Amino acid sequence: MDHEEVEERLLQEDVDDRGAIPTDRCNGVYVIFCILGLGSLLPWNFFITAKEYYLFKLRNLTLPTDDIDNPQMQTEMQTMFEGSVAAAATLPNLIFNFLTAVFTQKLPLKGRMVVSCLTILVMFVFTLSLVNIKTDTWQLPFFVTTLVTVVILSAGSSVFTASLFGLAGIFPPRYMQAAVSGQAVGGLFAAVANLLTLVAGSTQLHSAFAYFTAATLVSVVTLVSYILLYYLDYSKFHLEMNVTIQEDGFAESSHSAGSLSQRSSSTFPVLKKIWREGLAVFITFAVSLSCFPAICSSITSQHKDSSEWSGKYFTVIVCFLLFNLGDYAGRIVSGQFQWPKISQSRLLLVVSLVRVAFIPLLMLCNAQPRAHLPVVFTSDVYPIVFILLLGLTNGYLCTLCMMYGPKKVMMEYAEFAGASMSVCITIGLASGSLISLLLVKML
């Protein structure tokens, strides 16, 4: 499929042939994809946001609760918590993303989406039930239980996310944009919730209860929204068309090859079509996670003792809220304006590589503690601009990559292409997280 054929296919998919294709009335299906994107990340974002709750649960019981944030007073489990959660989440995420991509054509889409969403829902109901239970006498079992919950939650979330991108791949590009925009809203909601609980001065238990209740409700809404896709004419048309095209395409391939091995051999031609988009989205997330949140959250104001803004709220607003605002804005803009174009995959790859410049720029801001590098950008304006641009370009480029990838292959392989792009994102996230550990040591 050459560039002209790709452009023609995109044009044909966006044309509303009223005699054959139902319309997306009131953009109902578009909204559902936004909700599915929201549901794929918001619960996990709330889980991570509840860090203070877990530090409270694992605190040194011989000390006042005011000292739980003091690094010198932390217990071994408190010290190990973030690293343990990251390890417990990363490996299942990688494994189940890969398995989902491999088995897209063997395991039914509906089964994958429903089972994974139910898994997430059950895990959050269980997590919510532990909030008001006093766990002081069984901190180690609580710690282990939390890690097991993270493993199961990460596995369910990765299957759901990879399946969602595969699902969006069989619809016109704007529905992929809706899904990734919904994910950005999840990050934005979590950042706003963190800010509000900080302003309100809520206790760790009350904040965690609010986070996990919201995550549970979002999971329910996500499951109901997905089921609705099978009852709306527009989405039902695309889902049924995808099944028909896959059956016809595979039957034709098997007939022409004389064996069933043709289906499996199609994997490499598909990856060959989308490797530039996959590499670009990998680089995009690897760069972003190298900087955010490790380096970005370490940046402090030059006037941190002068006001609550520069002290108490600086990291929450400048790091988390600003990045997520930029990320959301970038994903929205990509729905209206696309550059580089789908035929300019090499340029897309080059632009994603240019973002590597954000790493030294942010490292030379006032990130503390530091022992090796000087502070070059002393003004608070610099990290504000850099972090906003980091989020904006992350959202914009990742959306373009996810929109373009599935549309470069034949329709019967669009779901596999979308799931494969999800694997590239996951590897980028994991790689960026590992790189960030090294960069923090270099400060």
Side-chain angles (χ1 to χ4, degrees):
M1 185 180 293
D2 57 25
H3 299 324
E4 289 76 18
E5 289 174 327
V6 171
E7 297 284 2
E8 183 180 355
R9 176 182 164 191
L10 285 172
L11 180 62
Q12 288 176 347
E13 287 190 337
D14 281 327
V15 171
D16 181 18
D17 184 357
R18 299 184 182 275
I21 304 177
T23 58
D24 184 8
R25 295 182 180 178
C26 302
N27 289 313
V29 176
Y30 183 89
V31 172
I32 286 178
F33 270 95
C34 289
I35 294 172
L36 295 178
L38 174 69
S40 69
L41 276 191
L42 181 61
W44 179 251
N45 284 333
F46 273 141
F47 190 95
I48 299 301
T49 306
K51 170 190 171 184
E52 296 299 324
Y53 157 75
Y54 286 105
L55 293 182
F56 174 78
K57 286 278 192 176
L58 302 172
R59 70 193 184 281
N60 187 334
L61 300 174
T62 63
L63 296 175
T65 56
D66 292 340
D67 290 331
I68 65 171
D69 291 327
N70 188 340
Q72 297 179 345
M73 302 293 184
Q74 287 188 345
T75 65
E76 184 179 0
M77 285 185 289
Q78 283 179 310
T79 304
M80 293 172 55
F81 179 73
E82 282 193 284
S84 300
V85 167
T90 301
L91 189 58
N93 198 12
L94 284 170
I95 293 173
F96 281 87
N97 254 282
F98 177 76
L99 291 176
T100 303
V102 170
F103 293 106
T104 48
Q105 293 151 3
K106 297 180 181 179
L107 297 176
L109 173 64
K110 191 173 185 179
R112 281 184 276 123
M113 294 287 287
V114 172
V115 171
S116 59
C117 194
L118 284 174
T119 300
I120 296 171
L121 176 59
V122 170
M123 286 298 100
F124 272 108
V125 170
F126 174 71
T127 303
L128 180 61
S129 68
L130 293 177
V131 171
N132 291 318
I133 296 177
K134 192 172 183 179
T135 59
D136 293 349
T137 58
W138 48 288
Q139 286 185 328
L140 181 58
F142 174 78
F143 180 74
V144 174
T145 300
T146 299
L147 294 183
V148 173
T149 302
V150 169
V151 169
I152 299 173
L153 183 62
S154 179
S157 180
S158 63
V159 172
F160 183 84
T161 303
S163 299
L164 170 60
F165 287 139
L167 171 66
I170 66 179
F171 283 76
R174 69 188 296 258
Y175 295 90
M176 181 68 80
Q177 182 263 334
V180 295
S181 296
Q183 287 188 323
V185 173
L188 188 58
F189 274 13
V192 171
N194 188 17
L195 177 62
L196 291 177
T197 54
L198 192 63
V199 172
S202 302
T203 65
Q204 294 92 344
L205 293 179
H206 289 158
S207 297
F209 188 83
Y211 292 152
F212 296 144
T213 299
T216 302
L217 293 175
V218 168
S219 297
V220 172
V221 173
T222 301
L223 179 60
V224 173
S225 298
Y226 173 71
I227 294 173
L228 279 176
L229 287 178
Y230 290 85
Y231 294 92
L232 298 177
D233 291 339
Y234 182 78
S235 52
K236 188 162 65 172
F237 170 84
H238 281 278
L239 290 167
E240 291 174 351
M241 182 177 65
N242 179 59
V243 172
T244 302
I245 289 175
Q246 285 196 4
E247 290 176 349
D248 292 346
F250 292 145
E252 183 178 347
S253 297
S254 298
H255 177 73
S256 62
S259 71
L260 294 175
S261 63
Q262 181 71 14
R263 179 182 299 188
S264 59
S265 67
S266 63
T267 299
F268 295 103
V270 170
L271 296 179
K272 187 178 179 180
K273 293 280 188 182
I274 66 171
W275 75 268
R276 288 190 182 90
E277 287 74 18
L279 182 57
V281 79
F282 161 79
I283 294 171
T284 297
F285 278 96
V287 170
S288 296
L289 267 291
S290 295
C291 304
F292 177 87
I295 295 177
C296 294
S297 63
S298 300
I299 297 174
T300 58
S301 172
Q302 291 286 348
H303 315 285
K304 64 179 180 179
D305 297 324
S306 62
S307 66
E308 281 196 336
W309 143 251
S310 57
K312 184 178 181 180
Y313 300 121
F314 185 82
T315 299
V316 175
I317 294 177
V318 173
C319 175
F320 294 100
L321 185 59
L322 207 57
F323 176 86
N324 284 289
L325 276 172
D327 186 42
Y328 177 67
R331 299 182 191 218
I332 293 298
V333 169
S334 64
Q336 308 300 322
F337 173 77
Q338 291 92 37
W339 182 89
K341 300 294 185 182
I342 191 172
S343 60
Q344 299 172 307
S345 55
R346 288 185 179 86
L347 181 58
L348 182 64
L349 190 54
V350 170
V351 173
S352 66
L353 281 168
V354 171
R355 294 182 72 250
V356 174
F358 281 117
I359 296 177
L361 289 176
L362 287 164
M363 290 179 70
L364 294 174
C365 290
N366 189 36
Q368 300 294 339
R370 65 197 302 124
H372 306 291
L373 296 177
V375 176
V376 175
F377 303 109
T378 55
S379 172
D380 291 346
V381 174
Y382 289 109
I384 290 174
V385 173
F386 294 158
I387 292 174
L388 181 60
L389 290 176
L390 179 71
L392 186 68
T393 54
N394 180 80
Y396 181 77
L397 290 174
C398 84
T399 306
L400 288 187
C401 293
M402 296 305 294
M403 289 170 63
Y404 292 167
K407 300 308 172 188
K408 286 202 161 186
V409 301
M410 296 174 65
M411 277 297 296
E412 58 262 37
Y413 302 117
E415 185 185 346
F416 170 71
S420 297
M421 296 290 290
S422 177
V423 174
C424 295
I425 289 178
T426 304
I427 298 175
L429 293 172
S431 301
S433 298
L434 292 175
I435 294 171
S436 70
L437 299 177
L438 176 62
L439 295 179
V440 170
K441 295 291 185 182
M442 292 171 60
L443 287 174

